[in-house]
Amino acid sequence: MSGPVDVLAVLRANMGPHSEAVAAVAELIEAAKMANGDHSAPHDCYATGPLTGDPVMDLVVCPGCRLAAALARCGVAK
């Protein structure tokens, strides 16, 4: 993937604006943004402790930063 993809726009175009998939993804995106809050690296990283469950990844990946990056790839701004 070369840049952000507006996942909701793609789903709306392919499945219709009122499909259950569009509604589910929109709800998932909103829940993810709410769960991540105002995470701003590096100050908020690991504020609640490592959450990945993988001892190696817990040393190098902040779950909040990973979620923010995934949302950005989906065309979702903070």
Side-chain angles (χ1 to χ4, degrees):
M1 186 177 337
S2 61
V5 174
D6 186 337
V7 174
L8 285 175
V10 171
L11 281 175
R12 285 184 188 110
N14 292 321
M15 303 182 87
H18 304 293
S19 76
E20 289 183 33
V22 171
V25 170
E27 185 176 342
L28 177 62
I29 287 171
E30 289 307 310
K33 288 174 14 185
M34 183 184 290
N36 211 29
D38 292 328
H39 182 83
S40 58
H43 306 294
D44 290 339
C45 294
Y46 293 109
T48 59
L51 302 175
T52 67
D54 180 326
V56 174
M57 291 299 288
D58 285 346
L59 294 174
V60 296
V61 176
C62 170
C65 290
R66 186 173 180 186
L67 177 56
L71 289 171
R73 282 191 301 277
C74 292
V76 177
K78 280 185 172 184

